[in-house]
Amino acid sequence: MRKIIVTTFLTLDGVMQAPGGPEEDPESGFTHGGWQKPTYDDGVGEAIADWYADTDAMLLGRKTYDIFAGYWPTADPDNPFTERMNSMHKYVASRTLTSVDWQNSTLLTGDTAEAVRRLKETEGRNINVVGSGDLAQTLMREDLVDEYRLTIHPVVLGTGKRLFADGAVPTALEPVKVTGTKGGTVLAVYRPAGRPAYDSF
């Protein structure tokens, strides 16, 4: 069965909104867009390349799809990610889109959770959920996330959309691999491990 892997950039306080640029996602008056690049280093790029090596598809929500489809088709061809992002298959979960035109994109229809369950049973390698905070919330509630691959950058913003937002399902996480880069970014891979345990000292 294919794994659904949430792969995303986070601030130290868990914000995932608009890492790529000031105009990427200003929803709710967010003014901190573009926070990732000042903390980006070669270690982050190497980790992302490694995390994509065992995947052959992305699962995107509408907003992230729109952002990516507006950028990657005309991105710098010398960027090693450009060809990969354009050629990789994209599955798009949206209640408002009626078509998807970016190369190798498929619009999922019907109930998102059921569509993803069916997708997990198809032939292929792992599927990355990139950005797509609202979609990630749905997948977490439906127990459809098999792994988290997170770059946690040394910056605190105080506002913005968070991966583990208020109301997230309480979940224990098993660390698979946690390392760091020279610039201070934490590279963390976790797998859900049931409900949290509780105790006292």
Side-chain angles (χ1 to χ4, degrees):
M1 182 175 286
R2 303 173 81 176
K3 291 181 180 179
I4 300 295
I5 300 174
V6 171
T7 304
T8 197
F9 310 121
L10 300 177
T11 66
L12 194 59
D13 56 336
V15 174
M16 64 183 301
Q17 188 170 355
E23 306 303 321
E24 187 176 74
D25 180 9
E27 186 177 340
S28 301
F30 188 68
T31 59
H32 302 292
W35 54 263
Q36 185 201 22
K37 188 173 181 180
T39 68
Y40 191 91
D41 60 24
D42 290 344
V44 174
E46 290 165 5
I48 297 299
D50 182 59
W51 292 347
Y52 271 79
D54 63 356
T55 65
D56 62 5
M58 291 185 287
L59 177 57
L60 306 172
R62 180 190 61 79
K63 292 176 184 175
T64 302
Y65 171 81
D66 285 344
I67 292 167
F68 281 14
Y71 175 78
W72 286 110
T74 58
D76 181 358
D78 291 331
N79 181 333
F81 283 102
T82 298
E83 191 279 333
R84 184 71 191 273
M85 297 296 275
N86 286 316
S87 63
M88 179 179 285
H89 203 97
K90 279 75 69 172
Y91 298 99
V92 186
S94 172
R95 293 185 295 271
T96 57
L97 291 175
T98 57
S99 65
V100 286
D101 301 322
W102 185 17
Q103 177 185 351
N104 297 328
S105 294
T106 300
L107 183 62
L108 299 180
T109 58
D111 180 77
T112 295
E114 286 304 315
V116 173
R117 288 189 183 95
R118 291 193 298 269
L119 187 58
K120 290 182 69 168
E121 295 174 355
T122 61
E123 292 293 326
R125 294 154 71 189
N126 296 333
I127 301 168
N128 278 346
V129 180
V130 186
S132 307
D134 292 341
L135 173 60
Q137 303 299 317
T138 297
L139 299 177
M140 288 188 282
R141 285 194 300 270
E142 296 291 334
D143 196 27
L144 288 168
V145 176
D146 297 293
E147 192 167 283
Y148 297 92
R149 297 178 180 179
L150 312 173
T151 65
I152 305 168
H153 297 258
V155 59
V156 172
L157 299 180
T159 62
K161 300 173 189 174
R162 288 172 167 80
L163 175 60
F164 300 106
D166 289 347
V169 176
T171 304
L173 297 174
E174 171 193 357
V176 177
K177 184 177 182 181
V178 181
T179 60
T181 73
K182 291 181 179 179
T185 295
V186 176
L187 310 172
V189 179
Y190 297 106
R191 291 183 186 138
R195 294 293 180 255
Y198 301 96
D199 203 345
S200 59
F201 288 98

